[in-house]
Amino acid sequence: MAQAETIAVIDFETSGMSPASGGRATEIAAVLVREGEIVGEYQSLMNAGVWVPPFIEQLTGISNAMLAKAPPAAVVMAEVDAFTRGCPLIAHNASFDRGFWQYELAQAGCMPDPAHEFACTVLLARRLYPEAPSCKLGALARHHQLPDMGRAHRALADAKTTAHLLLRMQADLLDRYRAELLGLPASHALLARLQRTAKTQLKRAVSEHVKQARQAQQLRLAQF
DNA sequence: TGCCAGGCCCTCTTTAGGGCCTT
């Protein structure tokens, strides 16, 4: 029997919009999701030696004084890298978090993990929930009446909210495409595929994903 | 508050432009 997949949902708080513009991470959280449940969480402030502008301080509640007492960014990234090792990743607007993830891991001297592929809940929400008023995390949480995880714009609260959104998406996919999935889970590979699929082609993409997954499974059995 | 950057989507498009989403 295949081992259940564990997906890591990550969220960064940062001092700016991108590493290229001088932004650095100030906090990270990772939430592990397996078989429809949250099974683990990691959260830490991190000191990257960066100054947080007042606007960001007000937005996140993370002050320069808090960062002065936080552990070094390299230590935190090594810990979260170990915590998520072997897990594919999910983030809300993954292009943002991917940039900081890759930059901060490189700064920390961590070896890239090939399992750390990203899927994005914004791209998925635009396809799965076109009726939602917005694809901002808070708007989607209200739209789906997800549990309140505390102050928004803190890494653990946002990562937990994104994790609950992921669970909702997986449940909706299983419900919506039950006939096509034939008992297969709404895996990270399926999510990554659907986030690039036109809204009108989702059903066909699910069927193609299942067909390829079955073929790969038969190939592995034949090799065994 | 709005801009900043980057990646992505949508359309009045594709030799482009505007909007969304993240801090």
Side-chain angles (χ1 to χ4, degrees):
Chain A
M1 185 170 176
Q3 190 174 359
E5 178 184 54
T6 303
I7 299 174
V9 180
I10 71 160
D11 186 80
F12 276 106
E13 303 306 316
T14 71
S15 65
M17 295 308 296
S18 71
S21 59
R24 292 294 302 267
T26 57
E27 186 180 46
I28 187 169
V31 174
L32 303 184
V33 172
R34 183 168 61 237
E35 293 187 304
E37 293 182 5
I38 292 175
V39 296
E41 63 185 52
Y42 173 96
Q43 176 273 330
S44 181
L45 292 167
M46 63 174 86
N47 186 349
V50 69
W51 176 76
V52 179
F55 169 67
I56 303 289
E57 193 170 308
Q58 189 173 20
L59 178 72
T60 65
I62 298 172
S63 67
N64 289 290
M66 290 164 68
L67 294 184
K69 293 182 286 188
V75 172
V76 173
M77 290 308 299
E79 288 180 355
V80 74
D81 182 44
F83 185 73
T84 59
R85 192 131 286 253
C87 301
L89 305 176
I90 291 269
H92 198 68
N93 197 23
S95 63
F96 174 86
D97 291 280
R98 185 195 300 117
F100 283 98
W101 179 260
Q102 293 173 343
Y103 182 83
E104 295 294 351
L105 282 179
Q107 290 295 307
C110 297
M111 293 293 291
D113 181 351
H116 281 162
E117 291 186 14
F118 275 84
C120 175
T121 45
V122 171
L123 298 182
L124 285 163
R126 286 174 180 162
R127 287 157 174 79
L128 297 178
Y129 310 121
E131 78 285 2
S134 148
C135 285
K136 291 180 180 178
L137 183 58
L140 288 169
R142 286 189 293 275
H143 181 69
H144 291 297
Q145 298 182 305
L146 302 179
D148 183 2
M149 291 295 117
R151 176 178 176 144
H153 296 299
R154 285 302 298 261
L156 185 58
D158 283 358
K160 281 184 170 179
T161 300
T162 305
H164 281 284
L165 178 60
L166 166 64
L167 292 173
R168 174 63 187 253
M169 286 175 166
Q170 289 180 308
D172 285 344
L173 282 171
L174 291 177
D175 187 51
R176 196 179 298 185
Y177 300 112
R178 190 174 301 279
E180 288 76 18
L181 283 167
L182 299 170
L184 283 179
S187 65
H188 186 278
L190 176 61
L191 299 174
R193 180 174 196 145
L194 295 185
Q195 73 177 0
R196 306 278 181 211
T197 301
K199 283 192 280 280
T200 56
Q201 301 294 318
L202 291 177
K203 187 174 181 178
R204 177 187 293 181
V206 172
S207 296
E208 289 176 354
H209 167 81
V210 170
K211 183 179 178 183
Q212 291 173 7
R214 295 289 190 208
Q215 288 174 344
Q217 189 178 35
Q218 289 173 354
L219 185 62
R220 284 195 298 272
L221 286 173
Q223 289 174 336
F224 182 76

